[in-house]
């Protein structure tokens, strides 16, 4: 099989790494990829939103399967465009990607399918949104309806914060049209976990769960980020509860999507809050998380590639995936200044020494190759260092031993990934 992975982050490096190990693979491309991905795939310089060029490339190179990593090309219709020329693409259509692309859409699906989630209301004008906040009080959560690069959610502890969020989204158009509609919802309290399933339109196969560390600083301090680390399995989220959430949240969503003629294929990522009243959905994403993907694939024993193909073919019903009984911890190394103003261009050394450590994988994200073969920082999140071992503590020790082998004074990471939370 010839496969094209779309994206350039640590998630896509992990996808390429897993797919490259498949005996079914004959050729692996990645667009645009990164220097780490170049070790396992042929990188082609096409941007993730340049869908017409991606389709042309896939046709010219007889690609059998396209695997998009990030949400943006899915919301922009990459699956529709590939399928229109007869190329399988393991992701939802543009219509089905609204599960992530529009908060009001996903909330309507939840209500229609009786999926437990925070109580919510939709607002198209700022005055009624402000009045609602005044009436309901705090804490309260304000969300831009559309995609906002992970920055469109404000968990407001004070009315002032909530009003400021409404003004920024709806009046100042901080996220453009994405914020012209907002969802305001009840604030859920509890432990957050991410649950992943591979879906074929009708059936869903559990890919396991992971916990993301969203804040930039130790002890969950500082700004929200795309994710500073992850671990899997999640302590306190047993396999039995995973299976229950599959029945309670994922399958009803698939059924409702199918009922509306928008069969969901690809990865469905349910962000959950384990509240006192049970698990509730915070949001759906229509792709793997980054860095959750890295820890999930590190634990996967089965060949990922035939599973992705079966999802496209609607044949997951009799499929089985195996996992090793190891734990995985991923630590993100970011460039100083991330998430606000990461500094680019510094030299990173010691990557080979880090990767040579037992039970360690080094995944590249925002890196670029320097003229003399050096690896330079070229993004906010730059590397994911993943440790695998029989338990979380040892996986963590392995990941941090590898982190400490990397010589990069301009980079930083959290030191508490995988440490039990108080
Ligand atoms: P994201 O959309 O991934 O940027 O999500 C932002 C984060 O906001 C989530 O991971 C939660 O921590 C938080 N969040 C979103 N909705 C709620 C809610 N209803 N109650 C409490 N926290 C929430
Ligand atoms: N790490 C969270 C996400 O990928 O959305």
């Amino acid at each position: 099989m010839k496969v094209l992975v779309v994206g350039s982050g640590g998630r896509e490096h992990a996808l390429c790494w897993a797919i490259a190990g498949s005996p079914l693979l004959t050729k692996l491309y990645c667009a645009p990829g990164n220097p780490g991905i170049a070790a396992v795939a042929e990188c082609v310089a096409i941007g993730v939103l340049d869908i017409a060029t991606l389709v042309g490339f896939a046709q010219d190179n007889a690609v059998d399967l396209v695997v998009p990593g990030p949400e943006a090309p899915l919301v922009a219709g990459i699956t529709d465009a590939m399928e229109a020329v007869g190329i399988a693409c393991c992701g939802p259509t543009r219509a089905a990607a609204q599960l992530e692309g529009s908060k009001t859409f996903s909330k309507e699906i939840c209500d229609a399918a009786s999926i437990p989630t925070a109580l919510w209301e939709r607002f198209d004008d700022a005055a009624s949104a402000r009045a609602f906040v005044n009436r309901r009080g705090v804490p309260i959560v304000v969300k831009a309806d559309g995609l906002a690069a992970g920055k469109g959610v404000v968990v407001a502890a004070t009315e002032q914060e909530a009003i400021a969020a409404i003004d920024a989204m709806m009046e100042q158009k901080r996220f453009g049209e994405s914020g012209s509609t907002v969802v305001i919802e009840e604030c859920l309290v509890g432990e957050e976990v991410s649950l992943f399933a591979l879906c074929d339109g009708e059936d869903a196969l559990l890919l396991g769960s992971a916990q993301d560390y969203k804040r930039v600083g130790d002890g969950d301090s500082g700004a929200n980020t795309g994710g500073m680390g992850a671990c899997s399995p999640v302590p306190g989220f047993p396999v039995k509860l995973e299976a229950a959430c599959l029945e309670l949240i994922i399958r009803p969503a698939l059924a409702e999507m199918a009922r509306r003629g928008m069969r969901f294929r690809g990865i469905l990522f349910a962000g959950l809050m384990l509240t006192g009243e049970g698990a509730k959905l915070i949001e759906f994403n229509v792709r793997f998380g980054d860095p959750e993907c890295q820890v999930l694939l590190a634990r996967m024993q089965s060949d990922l590639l035939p599973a992705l193909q079966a999802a496209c073919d609607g044949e997951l019903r009799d499929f089985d995936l195996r996992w090793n009984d190891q734990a995985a911890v991923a630590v993100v190394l970011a460039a100083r200044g991330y998430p606000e103003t990461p500094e680019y261009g510094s030299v990173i050394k010691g990557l080979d020494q880090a990767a040579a450590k037992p039970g360690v994988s080094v995944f590249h994200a925002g890196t670029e190759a320097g003229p003399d073969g050096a690896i330079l920082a070229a993004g906010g999140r730059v590397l994911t260092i993943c440790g695998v071992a029989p338990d979380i503590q040892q996986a963590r020790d392995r990941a941090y031993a590898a982190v400490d082998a990397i010589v990069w004074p301009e980079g930083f990471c959290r030191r508490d990934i995988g440490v039990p939370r108080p």
Side-chain angles (χ1 to χ4, degrees), residues 100 103 107 117-119 140-143 148-155 185-190 192 212 214-215 224-226 269 271-273 281-285 287:
E100 175 164 0
K103 306 258 191 251
K107 284 295 203 176
T117 186
L119 296 173
I140 201 158
V141 183
V142 181
K143 301 184 170 185
K151 300 193 172 80
V153 175
V154 174
V155 181
E185 63 181 40
E186 168 198 13
C187 188
L188 301 175
V189 180
E192 258 187 90
D212 185 17
K214 288 179 194 292
R215 301 280 179 159
N224 243 325
T225 71
F269 161 172
L272 306 177
M273 190 77 88
L281 182 81
I282 298 173
E283 63 178 356
F284 280 124
N285 295 308
R287 42 144 183 110

Side-chain angles (χ1 to χ4, degrees), residues 165-415:
I166 291 166
D167 289 347
M169 290 176 197
M170 304 190 83
E171 316 257 36
Q172 292 143 30
K173 300 271 178 217
R174 182 140 155 241
F175 307 114
E177 280 313 299
S178 282
S180 53
T181 296
V182 299
V183 165
I184 302 186
E185 63 181 40
E186 168 198 13
C187 188
L188 301 175
V189 180
E191 186 87 4
E192 258 187 90
V193 299
S194 308
L195 184 69
F196 295 85
L198 180 63
C199 308
D200 72 356
E202 214 168 287
D203 269 298
L205 210 55
L206 269 182
L207 294 173
S209 60
Q211 194 154 40
D212 185 17
Y213 290 69
K214 288 179 194 292
R215 301 280 179 159
V216 72
D218 283 14
D220 295 326
S221 61
N224 243 325
T225 71
M228 292 299 291
C231 57
S232 177
V234 183
F237 192 61
V239 175
K240 240 170 82 178
L241 193 49
E242 282 183 4
C245 290
L246 183 73
E247 300 307 324
L248 195 68
I249 291 167
I250 307 254
R251 286 194 194 279
L254 291 189
E256 179 59 23
M257 293 294 284
R259 202 184 63 75
R260 294 182 183 214
M262 301 178 195
R263 293 156 65 82
F264 186 95
R265 294 202 169 109
I267 307 290
L268 190 55
F269 161 172
L272 306 177
M273 190 77 88
L274 305 182
T275 73
E277 298 169 350
K280 292 194 180 182
L281 182 81
I282 298 173
E283 63 178 356
F284 280 124
N285 295 308
V286 299
R287 42 144 183 110
F288 270 119
D290 184 345
E292 292 97 321
C293 180
Q294 291 86 311
V295 285
L296 292 175
L297 295 185
R299 298 182 51 224
M300 194 167 186
Q301 226 164 31
S302 307
D303 187 353
L304 176 65
L305 187 50
L308 297 177
Q309 181 68 56
C312 292
D313 295 341
E315 287 175 358
L316 281 183
R317 182 180 298 274
D318 301 317
F319 225 86
D320 189 26
L321 286 174
R322 300 275 156 132
W323 308 88
N324 61 38
D325 52 8
Q326 306 268 298
V329 170
V331 178
V332 168
L333 281 170
R336 202 155 60 196
Y338 177 74
E340 288 88 7
T341 47
E343 297 167 20
Y344 298 162
S346 51
V347 177
I348 305 163
K349 293 187 181 148
L351 290 172
D352 292 341
Q353 288 86 329
K357 298 210 173 269
V360 166
S361 300
V362 173
F363 298 115
H364 287 229
T367 61
E368 78 184 7
D372 47 0
I375 296 293
L376 309 177
R381 293 191 293 170
V382 174
L383 298 161
T384 309
I385 314 301
C386 187
V388 176
D391 63 42
I392 290 269
Q393 172 63 43
Q394 292 175 62
R396 186 175 154 249
D397 291 345
R398 287 187 154 175
Y400 280 110
V403 165
D404 291 336
I406 292 172
V407 183
W408 182 31
E410 295 84 359
F412 73 96
C413 65
R414 278 181 64 159
R415 283 279 158 188

Side-chain angles (χ1 to χ4, degrees), residues 1-222:
M1 272 174 83
K2 293 186 180 175
V3 178
L4 168 64
V5 171
V6 177
S8 63
R11 164 180 52 204
E12 289 76 24
H13 190 178
L15 282 166
C16 285
W17 168 78
I19 292 168
S22 172
L24 299 176
L25 184 78
T26 53
K27 178 78 189 175
L28 181 58
Y29 300 102
C30 186
N34 64 40
I37 292 174
V40 290
E42 181 178 333
C43 293
V44 288
I46 309 172
V48 300
L49 284 173
D50 189 355
I51 290 174
T53 310
L54 289 169
V55 169
F57 176 85
Q59 284 182 301
D60 292 347
N61 292 279
V63 164
D64 300 294
L65 176 68
V66 177
V67 183
E71 64 278 15
L74 293 165
V75 172
I78 189 171
T79 299
D80 312 64
M82 291 292 173
E83 285 179 351
V85 297
I87 297 174
C89 183
C90 191
T93 59
R94 182 189 188 134
Q98 290 306 299
L99 265 187
E100 175 164 0
S102 164
K103 306 258 191 251
T104 49
F105 178 84
S106 85
K107 284 295 203 176
E108 283 163 12
I109 294 291
C110 287
D111 287 355
S114 303
I115 293 169
T117 186
L119 296 173
W120 67 287
E121 230 163 291
R122 164 201 171 126
F123 296 93
D124 298 303
D125 76 279
S128 349
R130 282 190 292 260
F132 182 74
V133 166
N134 291 333
R135 208 161 60 239
R136 288 297 303 257
V138 287
I140 201 158
V141 183
V142 181
K143 301 184 170 185
D145 182 61
L147 292 183
K151 300 193 172 80
V153 175
V154 174
V155 181
T158 64
E159 273 187 38
Q160 239 171 351
E161 262 178 272
I163 303 291
I166 291 166
D167 289 347
M169 290 176 197
M170 304 190 83
E171 316 257 36
Q172 292 143 30
K173 300 271 178 217
R174 182 140 155 241
F175 307 114
E177 280 313 299
S178 282
S180 53
T181 296
V182 299
V183 165
I184 302 186
E185 63 181 40
E186 168 198 13
C187 188
L188 301 175
V189 180
E191 186 87 4
E192 258 187 90
V193 299
S194 308
L195 184 69
F196 295 85
L198 180 63
C199 308
D200 72 356
E202 214 168 287
D203 269 298
L205 210 55
L206 269 182
L207 294 173
S209 60
Q211 194 154 40
D212 185 17
Y213 290 69
K214 288 179 194 292
R215 301 280 179 159
V216 72
D218 283 14
D220 295 326
S221 61

